[in-house]
Amino acid sequence: MGSLYLNKLSKEEKNNLVKRLHEIQEGNCFICGDPINLDIHRKDIDIDHVIPIKSKGKDGPENFAITHATCNRSKQDSNLHVARILAEFNKINENIPKDENRSANLGDILAEYGGGKYELSVKIAGGSFQTSFPKTGNNDIITTPIFKDQISGFDSVFLNLPIQYIHHDSHINPRSIGKNLGKLVKEFHKKLPQLHVALAWIDTDKDSEPKVLVFDGQHKAAAQIMIGAKNLPVRVFINPDKGMLLTANTHAGTTLHQVAFDKSVQRNLGNSLLKERITRYRKDKGRPEDDESFTERDLANHFKGESREMKRYVLDWVRNEVTTHPENKLRHYIEYGGRGKDKPLSYSTIEKTFYSLFVYGELLETPFNFKQEEGTNPRRLEIEQIVRLMNIIAEEIFIEKFDLSIGIGQIEGNIQKNKYVPEPHLCAFRMAKEERIRAWLRYIPKIIQSYFVTTGESFDEKKMFQYPIPNQCWENIKHFIDALKKFPFWVNKDLSTTVFGGKQTPAYWQTIFETGKTPDGTEVIGNKGINYMEMIGG
């Protein structure tokens, strides 16, 4: 909404107002906090209401602030206080190392706002929980009753904790903070109560001064901290079974759909649950902590009521190991948190292609340490070789070819408008689409199978990545991908409105690769489809 007050000011009066606000704001933009230079930025400064008029903000100098014009026009909320908080959150996200492939979580917010510093001194006696917060200058003894949860049997207390004593549990809750943060910040800014207390746990058995670790409610905790809260209400479970907390939190985002877990987060949690079940199995069987002489099937048989879950945990472990492998070069081109505009591959695409095609989906009968010393353990081979395949694809198609600064937004639209898109970038973008990559990845098993048949070696097709794949076979795969990316149709701009103009099915692209034409007869490759045996010749 416009300002009647500003409209009445002369040019000189408006300039004087800008100077006064610039001094009040110590020379910084109200939203992003970066400097405003009155000489350099003079034509790119906005004056705006801090509290919008529609929210009963006054139309006068006491309710004005100056901002960079770009900050004001791209702000995420009309209230400048909220917009500033969301800009701060964006900066926190930007400062996370790119090789971590994640967005900010509660731990990052705590670190930015002075939280997560101290452990908690605790005394438990006579059904009461005693503590104090001396490092914040409060030496009072806080005494609160311990409640026993009638369903889980866990003991817990309700505390109003200084944020300096609050930490984030990234093991039980590896989620990043998503888009809902903006809505929560806005609600808290309006002083509307949110009926959700953060859940945490503390282990008083092992540490003299243990940490309070929040595992649920991080979005609302983060929003309150960014609004300015110095203390948070927290329900703290005392010495709980952490495996049960992990299982409950995982079920909340999977079986129960109470929260929206990205698939990559689900795999991370499944991986953690497998490790927790392995620890329990060793304890139940009286085995050493480093024993690995049991099988995936043994775990499923032991946890009889969870046989289906155990299978999922094992597969989640394999997927997570591939995804987070430090040598996986393709992971830098994967968008893990839903759909983005920068990276060519979504995590969902990886699941529906690499993992569905190449990860063996049944439990193994071989021990976890089977042929470990020889380096031919079936699951480890599977993980390492899928990573090797991903690296070949990354090197051939994406590295130094796909420009992350260009991203994936409106690529076909830009082609149709005759805007310049580098051919290597266009090729990578088009090859990465889920229906296309699924169709051409199906040739990889054929190449591997062809090699083993030619050499007379026997192997199980369903487990092909659990067999050592010789270097020559890897060279064949590399030649195939190199030849595939060189087909002219990947950079053919005339096909932008037809073949590449909308989402097709894998079967559509399979027809193209097999016949050279679309199902309706449009020629794409030529009179014949691709011949992978010719392509692997180099």
Side-chain angles (χ1 to χ4, degrees):
M1 183 178 292
S3 168
L4 293 176
Y5 180 91
L6 291 176
N7 290 337
K8 293 178 181 179
L9 296 182
S10 66
K11 184 177 180 180
E12 183 179 355
E13 289 172 330
K14 188 173 288 187
N15 287 337
N16 289 334
L17 175 60
V18 168
K19 290 177 182 179
R20 289 201 305 274
L21 294 173
H22 187 263
E23 185 177 346
I24 291 170
Q25 294 170 211
E26 297 181 347
N28 298 320
C29 170
F30 192 91
I31 295 176
C32 74
D34 290 340
I36 290 179
N37 187 301
L38 293 184
D39 294 321
I40 297 174
H41 298 137
R42 63 184 181 278
K43 293 183 178 180
D44 298 296
I45 297 172
D46 277 359
I47 305 174
D48 200 357
H49 298 99
V50 175
I51 302 173
I53 294 176
K54 65 180 180 181
S55 299
K56 299 182 180 179
K58 294 182 179 180
D59 187 25
E62 69 275 23
N63 189 38
F64 286 131
I66 57 170
T67 71
H68 296 118
T70 52
C71 292
N72 196 40
R73 290 160 200 177
S74 62
K75 65 190 178 190
Q76 295 172 268
D77 196 87
S78 58
N79 186 300
L80 292 195
H81 285 299
V82 175
R84 178 163 60 183
I85 292 169
L86 297 181
E88 289 172 0
F89 178 67
N90 289 339
K91 283 189 176 181
I92 294 172
N93 261 322
E94 290 169 2
N95 290 331
I96 293 173
K98 293 190 182 299
D99 60 357
E100 293 186 19
N101 285 309
R102 68 176 182 87
S103 299
N105 58 33
L106 177 58
D108 300 303
I109 303 299
L110 286 165
E112 182 69 21
Y113 288 83
K117 290 183 176 180
Y118 309 128
E119 288 74 37
L120 199 65
S121 296
V122 173
K123 180 180 179 181
I124 296 175
S128 293
F129 183 98
Q130 292 185 329
T131 189
S132 184
F133 314 123
K135 293 181 180 177
T136 63
N138 181 0
N139 292 297
D140 294 343
I141 303 299
I142 311 294
T143 302
T144 186
I146 296 173
F147 298 92
K148 183 175 289 291
D149 186 83
Q150 293 185 359
I151 296 176
S152 67
F154 290 166
D155 290 335
S156 65
V157 293
F158 289 88
L159 298 172
N160 190 32
L161 286 171
I163 63 172
Q164 294 92 328
Y165 288 87
I166 295 174
H167 302 260
H168 177 231
D169 189 332
S170 60
H171 176 66
I172 294 179
N173 188 353
R175 293 177 69 201
S176 297
I177 294 173
K179 298 177 181 178
N180 284 337
L181 180 71
K183 296 178 181 178
L184 287 168
V185 166
K186 195 169 184 177
E187 291 296 288
F188 282 120
H189 190 267
K190 292 177 180 177
K191 305 188 185 304
L192 297 174
Q194 295 297 303
L195 304 179
H196 187 90
V197 176
L199 302 181
W201 65 275
I202 189 170
D203 188 344
T204 64
D205 289 339
K206 295 182 179 180
D207 300 320
S208 57
E209 290 191 349
K211 291 181 179 179
V212 174
L213 293 158
V214 170
F215 65 87
D216 186 59
Q218 69 158 334
H219 281 71
K220 291 179 180 178
Q224 292 175 78
I225 292 168
M226 296 192 76
I227 283 293
K230 300 301 181 184
N231 294 65
L232 294 181
V234 183
R235 182 185 182 186
V236 183
F237 291 98
I238 306 168
N239 307 325
D241 180 333
K242 291 182 284 294
M244 288 181 65
L245 294 183
L246 181 60
T247 301
N249 194 55
T250 303
H251 286 178
T254 55
T255 308
L256 302 177
H257 300 291
Q258 291 176 323
V259 291
F261 278 2
D262 294 322
K263 284 288 184 181
S264 59
V265 174
Q266 292 182 29
R267 303 314 174 211
N268 188 309
L269 289 169
N271 166 61
S272 297
L273 282 166
L274 176 67
K275 293 176 180 177
E276 189 276 334
R277 295 299 189 270
I278 287 175
T279 299
R280 281 173 54 185
Y281 177 84
R282 289 170 177 154
K283 185 177 180 180
D284 292 348
K285 296 290 186 179
R287 295 177 179 239
E289 291 183 0
D290 60 349
D291 178 60
E292 292 187 338
S293 62
F294 50 91
T295 71
E296 296 169 3
R297 178 60 63 188
D298 289 336
L299 290 174
N301 291 338
H302 180 70
F303 298 101
K304 294 181 180 178
E306 295 183 302
S307 57
R308 182 179 298 177
E309 287 83 356
M310 285 308 307
K311 178 179 175 180
R312 190 179 79 237
Y313 299 160
V314 168
L315 297 181
D316 284 350
W317 163 64
V318 175
R319 294 162 178 151
N320 189 70
E321 286 288 294
V322 173
T323 302
T324 60
H325 198 291
E327 296 179 11
N328 187 339
K329 298 176 183 179
L330 192 63
R331 68 192 180 112
H332 303 298
Y333 297 89
I334 301 171
E335 186 68 55
Y336 295 95
R339 296 181 179 180
K341 294 183 179 180
D342 301 324
K343 300 182 180 181
L345 296 161
S346 68
Y347 183 81
S348 175
T349 293
I350 298 299
E351 286 248 328
K352 295 175 182 177
T353 55
F354 290 93
Y355 298 160
S356 67
L357 292 173
F358 306 134
V359 175
Y360 179 60
E362 300 299 328
L363 297 176
L364 298 186
E365 304 284 351
T366 51
F368 279 91
N369 61 2
F370 179 71
K371 292 188 176 181
Q372 211 167 64
E373 293 183 359
E374 297 95 319
T376 56
N377 176 269
R379 283 297 187 193
R380 291 311 316 179
L381 263 178
E382 184 174 59
I383 292 165
E384 297 294 335
Q385 294 189 138
I386 292 175
V387 169
R388 184 169 181 177
L389 173 62
M390 286 181 159
N391 285 347
I392 291 174
I393 291 170
E395 291 164 357
E396 292 293 323
I397 300 174
F398 298 107
I399 297 175
E400 297 183 358
K401 300 171 184 68
F402 185 90
D403 188 341
L404 291 171
S405 66
I406 297 176
I408 63 174
Q410 302 297 320
I411 295 294
E412 296 299 346
N414 289 336
I415 291 294
Q416 293 160 24
K417 294 174 184 176
N418 292 319
K419 293 184 178 180
Y420 174 71
V421 177
E423 287 193 351
H425 184 89
L426 178 60
C427 176
F429 166 76
R430 285 176 167 176
M431 290 186 75
K433 285 291 186 177
E434 183 180 306
E435 65 273 18
R436 300 164 199 164
I437 193 171
R438 183 174 179 84
W440 63 257
L441 272 182
R442 288 185 176 277
Y443 285 93
I444 303 300
K446 294 180 180 180
I447 294 170
I448 297 173
Q449 182 180 8
S450 173
Y451 180 88
F452 277 96
V453 169
T454 302
T455 58
E457 298 179 52
S458 60
F459 79 114
D460 186 339
E461 294 178 29
K462 295 179 181 178
K463 302 179 181 179
M464 65 172 58
F465 276 81
Q466 295 185 1
Y467 292 81
I469 299 174
N471 286 333
Q472 182 56 56
C473 188
W474 286 114
E475 285 298 312
N476 292 347
I477 292 171
K478 185 176 180 179
H479 290 320
F480 168 76
I481 295 170
D482 180 59
L484 180 65
K485 76 177 183 185
K486 290 178 179 176
F487 277 98
F489 75 91
W490 291 119
V491 294
N492 187 324
K493 297 178 181 179
D494 293 334
L495 298 177
S496 182
T497 57
T498 55
V499 173
F500 296 111
K503 185 172 182 178
Q504 309 291 352
T505 64
Y508 176 92
W509 281 94
Q510 187 174 339
T511 299
I512 290 175
F513 293 146
E514 290 178 354
T515 68
K517 301 178 181 180
T518 64
D520 63 5
T522 302
E523 187 174 294
V524 179
I525 299 177
N527 293 326
K528 61 178 182 177
I530 63 176
N531 185 327
Y532 71 91
M533 291 302 293
E534 290 181 359
M535 295 165 68
I536 65 177

